[in-house]
Amino acid sequence: MAQKGKEEKQSVSRVAIYPGSFDPITYGHIDIVERSLEIFDTVIVAIAYDTSKNALFTVKERMETVKAVFAHVPNVVVDSFKGLLVHYVENTNAKVIIRGLRATSDFEYEFHMASMNRSLNPHLDTVFMMTSKDYFFVSSRTIKEVASLGGAVEGLVPGLVAKRLRQKFRLPVTKKKELGWDD
Protein backbone atom coordinates (compact mmCIF):
# COMPACT_ATOMS: atom_id res chain seq x y z
CA MET A 1 0.00 0.00 0.00
CA ALA A 2 2.80 2.45 0.85
CA GLN A 3 4.41 1.66 -2.51
CA LYS A 4 1.25 2.67 -4.39
CA GLY A 5 1.13 6.04 -2.61
CA LYS A 6 4.79 6.61 -3.42
CA GLU A 7 4.20 5.90 -7.13
CA GLU A 8 1.22 8.27 -7.21
CA LYS A 9 3.25 10.99 -5.55
CA GLN A 10 6.10 10.61 -8.06
CA SER A 11 3.74 11.00 -11.02
CA VAL A 12 2.50 14.39 -9.79
CA SER A 13 4.16 17.27 -11.61
CA ARG A 14 6.02 19.77 -9.44
CA VAL A 15 4.92 23.22 -10.58
CA ALA A 16 6.25 26.52 -9.27
CA ILE A 17 5.32 30.11 -10.07
CA TYR A 18 7.91 32.82 -10.55
CA PRO A 19 5.92 36.08 -10.38
CA GLY A 20 7.17 39.54 -11.17
CA SER A 21 6.92 42.54 -13.44
CA PHE A 22 9.87 41.48 -15.65
CA ASP A 23 10.04 45.03 -17.02
CA PRO A 24 12.35 43.99 -18.62
CA ILE A 25 13.55 40.45 -18.01
CA THR A 26 17.24 40.28 -17.11
CA TYR A 27 19.87 37.55 -16.99
CA GLY A 28 19.29 37.54 -13.22
CA HIS A 29 15.67 36.49 -13.79
CA ILE A 30 16.73 33.93 -16.38
CA ASP A 31 19.28 32.48 -13.95
CA ILE A 32 16.54 31.99 -11.33
CA VAL A 33 14.22 30.27 -13.85
CA GLU A 34 16.96 27.95 -15.13
CA ARG A 35 18.01 26.94 -11.61
CA SER A 36 14.36 26.50 -10.59
CA LEU A 37 13.94 23.98 -13.38
CA GLU A 38 16.50 21.80 -11.59
CA ILE A 39 14.01 21.53 -8.71
CA PHE A 40 10.60 21.82 -10.40
CA ASP A 41 9.16 20.12 -13.48
CA THR A 42 7.45 23.28 -14.70
CA VAL A 43 8.00 26.94 -13.93
CA ILE A 44 5.26 29.44 -14.69
CA VAL A 45 6.69 32.91 -15.28
CA ALA A 46 3.71 34.99 -14.16
CA ILE A 47 3.86 38.61 -15.30
CA ALA A 48 1.94 40.92 -13.01
CA TYR A 49 -0.29 43.75 -14.14
CA ASP A 50 1.23 46.04 -11.52
CA THR A 51 -0.56 49.35 -11.29
CA SER A 52 1.81 50.68 -8.61
CA LYS A 53 4.79 50.66 -10.97
CA ASN A 54 5.27 52.76 -14.07
CA ALA A 55 5.95 50.03 -16.63
CA LEU A 56 8.10 50.77 -19.65
CA PHE A 57 6.80 47.78 -21.58
CA THR A 58 3.17 46.68 -21.76
CA VAL A 59 2.23 43.29 -20.32
CA LYS A 60 1.78 42.04 -23.89
CA GLU A 61 5.30 43.22 -24.84
CA ARG A 62 6.78 41.63 -21.71
CA MET A 63 4.98 38.35 -22.40
CA GLU A 64 6.23 38.31 -26.00
CA THR A 65 9.79 38.97 -24.85
CA VAL A 66 9.77 36.35 -22.09
CA LYS A 67 8.22 33.78 -24.46
CA ALA A 68 10.95 34.50 -27.01
CA VAL A 69 13.68 34.16 -24.37
CA PHE A 70 12.36 30.75 -23.25
CA ALA A 71 11.14 29.52 -26.65
CA HIS A 72 13.63 26.62 -26.48
CA VAL A 73 12.47 25.54 -22.98
CA PRO A 74 9.18 23.60 -23.16
CA ASN A 75 8.66 23.42 -19.39
CA VAL A 76 8.56 27.19 -18.94
CA VAL A 77 5.05 28.61 -19.23
CA VAL A 78 4.55 32.36 -19.60
CA ASP A 79 1.33 33.85 -18.29
CA SER A 80 0.03 37.08 -16.75
CA PHE A 81 -2.24 37.89 -13.85
CA LYS A 82 -4.10 40.74 -12.19
CA GLY A 83 -4.85 41.06 -8.53
CA LEU A 84 -3.56 38.94 -5.69
CA LEU A 85 -0.93 36.35 -6.51
CA VAL A 86 -2.58 33.83 -4.17
CA HIS A 87 -5.78 33.99 -6.22
CA TYR A 88 -3.80 33.36 -9.40
CA VAL A 89 -1.97 30.44 -7.78
CA GLU A 90 -5.29 28.82 -6.83
CA ASN A 91 -6.04 28.44 -10.56
CA THR A 92 -2.81 26.53 -11.22
CA ASN A 93 -1.26 23.27 -10.00
CA ALA A 94 1.46 25.20 -8.21
CA LYS A 95 2.10 24.99 -4.48
CA VAL A 96 5.31 27.01 -4.52
CA ILE A 97 6.23 30.60 -5.32
CA ILE A 98 9.81 31.30 -6.35
CA ARG A 99 11.44 34.56 -5.39
CA GLY A 100 14.92 35.70 -6.25
CA LEU A 101 17.04 37.52 -3.72
CA ARG A 102 19.90 39.81 -4.69
CA ALA A 103 20.90 41.12 -1.28
CA THR A 104 19.80 41.08 2.33
CA SER A 105 17.76 44.21 1.64
CA ASP A 106 15.51 42.13 -0.66
CA PHE A 107 14.90 39.56 2.07
CA GLU A 108 12.93 41.78 4.43
CA TYR A 109 10.40 42.77 1.76
CA GLU A 110 10.17 39.25 0.33
CA PHE A 111 9.79 37.71 3.80
CA HIS A 112 6.82 39.99 4.53
CA MET A 113 5.21 39.12 1.18
CA ALA A 114 5.77 35.38 1.71
CA SER A 115 4.26 35.63 5.19
CA MET A 116 1.20 37.46 3.87
CA ASN A 117 0.76 34.94 1.03
CA ARG A 118 1.06 32.09 3.53
CA SER A 119 -1.56 33.70 5.79
CA LEU A 120 -3.93 33.98 2.82
CA ASN A 121 -3.20 30.41 1.66
CA PRO A 122 -1.62 28.11 4.26
CA HIS A 123 -0.86 25.48 1.59
CA LEU A 124 1.42 27.84 -0.30
CA ASP A 125 5.17 27.96 0.25
CA THR A 126 7.80 30.38 -1.00
CA VAL A 127 11.27 29.27 -2.07
CA PHE A 128 13.94 31.96 -1.98
CA MET A 129 16.85 31.62 -4.38
CA MET A 130 19.96 33.74 -4.29
CA THR A 131 20.72 35.32 -7.63
CA SER A 132 24.02 34.27 -9.17
CA LYS A 133 27.03 36.34 -8.12
CA ASP A 134 27.27 37.58 -11.71
CA TYR A 135 23.87 39.29 -11.52
CA PHE A 136 23.26 40.25 -7.87
CA PHE A 137 23.59 43.95 -8.74
CA VAL A 138 21.19 43.81 -11.70
CA SER A 139 17.60 45.01 -11.39
CA SER A 140 15.06 45.87 -14.07
CA ARG A 141 14.89 49.41 -12.69
CA THR A 142 18.65 49.88 -13.03
CA ILE A 143 18.67 48.37 -16.52
CA LYS A 144 15.98 50.85 -17.64
CA GLU A 145 17.79 53.78 -16.09
CA VAL A 146 21.14 52.89 -17.68
CA ALA A 147 19.54 52.26 -21.09
CA SER A 148 17.55 55.51 -20.94
CA LEU A 149 20.80 57.41 -20.47
CA GLY A 150 22.47 55.66 -23.39
CA GLY A 151 24.48 53.14 -21.38
CA ALA A 152 25.21 49.64 -22.61
CA VAL A 153 23.20 46.85 -20.99
CA GLU A 154 24.45 44.01 -23.18
CA GLY A 155 25.65 41.15 -21.03
CA LEU A 156 23.03 41.94 -18.40
CA VAL A 157 19.96 41.29 -20.58
CA PRO A 158 19.39 39.15 -23.66
CA GLY A 159 20.12 40.81 -27.01
CA LEU A 160 16.40 41.00 -27.80
CA VAL A 161 15.80 42.99 -24.61
CA ALA A 162 18.70 45.36 -25.32
CA LYS A 163 17.30 45.97 -28.81
CA ARG A 164 13.79 46.63 -27.48
CA LEU A 165 15.17 49.04 -24.89
CA ARG A 166 16.97 50.98 -27.63
CA GLN A 167 13.72 51.13 -29.61
CA LYS A 168 11.74 52.33 -26.58
CA PHE A 169 14.15 55.08 -25.67
CA ARG A 170 14.71 56.28 -29.25
CA LEU A 171 17.94 58.11 -28.56
CA PRO A 172 18.90 60.81 -31.08
CA VAL A 173 20.76 59.52 -34.15
CA THR A 174 24.01 61.24 -33.12
CA LYS A 175 23.91 59.58 -29.70
CA LYS A 176 23.14 56.20 -31.31
CA LYS A 177 26.20 56.49 -33.57
CA GLU A 178 28.38 57.54 -30.65
CA LEU A 179 27.24 54.41 -28.74
CA GLY A 180 27.44 52.11 -31.77
CA TRP A 181 23.69 51.59 -31.89
CA ASP A 182 23.31 51.47 -35.65
CA ASP A 183 20.29 49.17 -35.84
Side-chain angles (χ1 to χ4, degrees):
M1 180 111 167
Q3 183 67 19
K4 183 179 178 188
K6 187 177 178 182
E7 288 172 12
E8 286 176 11
K9 209 171 205 173
Q10 288 177 345
S11 68
V12 173
S13 180
R14 296 168 302 172
V15 179
I17 293 180
Y18 183 31
S21 61
F22 305 101
D23 185 40
I25 191 165
T26 69
Y27 279 135
H29 295 126
I30 294 166
D31 174 62
I32 295 291
V33 171
E34 289 173 346
R35 291 177 31 234
S36 296
L37 288 170
E38 295 174 13
I39 302 168
F40 301 98
D41 301 315
T42 302
V43 173
I44 301 170
V45 178
I47 299 170
Y49 282 86
D50 192 343
T51 55
S52 68
K53 291 184 180 179
N54 242 351
L56 177 64
F57 295 97
T58 67
V59 170
K60 182 181 177 191
E61 289 171 323
R62 288 181 269 159
M63 286 187 67
E64 289 169 354
T65 302
V66 175
K67 283 179 182 179
V69 166
F70 291 108
H72 64 287
V73 187
N75 46 346
V76 170
V77 176
V78 180
D79 199 4
S80 64
F81 71 98
K82 290 181 181 178
L84 289 174
L85 176 61
V86 292
H87 293 158
Y88 174 76
V89 171
E90 289 169 0
N91 295 316
T92 70
N93 291 329
K95 300 282 184 245
V96 175
I97 295 170
I98 300 166
R99 297 301 295 161
L101 299 175
R102 292 175 302 229
T104 55
S105 57
D106 286 346
F107 180 76
E108 187 174 343
Y109 171 79
E110 294 296 346
F111 179 75
H112 285 280
M113 291 304 297
S115 298
M116 178 55 77
N117 288 336
R118 181 90 174 175
S119 76
L120 294 170
N121 181 343
H123 304 290
L124 190 58
D125 282 308
T126 301
V127 171
F128 297 109
M129 296 185 85
M130 294 304 300
T131 304
S132 165
K133 65 178 176 48
D134 298 329
Y135 307 114
F136 78 92
F137 62 94
V138 177
S139 70
S140 294
R141 181 181 317 157
T142 304
I143 292 295
K144 289 185 286 193
E145 185 175 351
V146 169
S148 73
L149 297 171
V153 294
E154 288 77 1
L156 303 174
V157 296
L160 172 64
V161 174
K163 180 179 179 179
R164 290 185 176 173
L165 283 165
R166 289 193 298 270
Q167 291 168 344
K168 277 284 185 184
F169 290 120
R170 295 187 186 111
L171 292 176
V173 173
T174 55
K175 186 71 172 173
K176 286 182 183 181
K177 285 187 181 187
E178 179 185 317
L179 297 169
W181 290 5
D182 291 328
D183 60 344

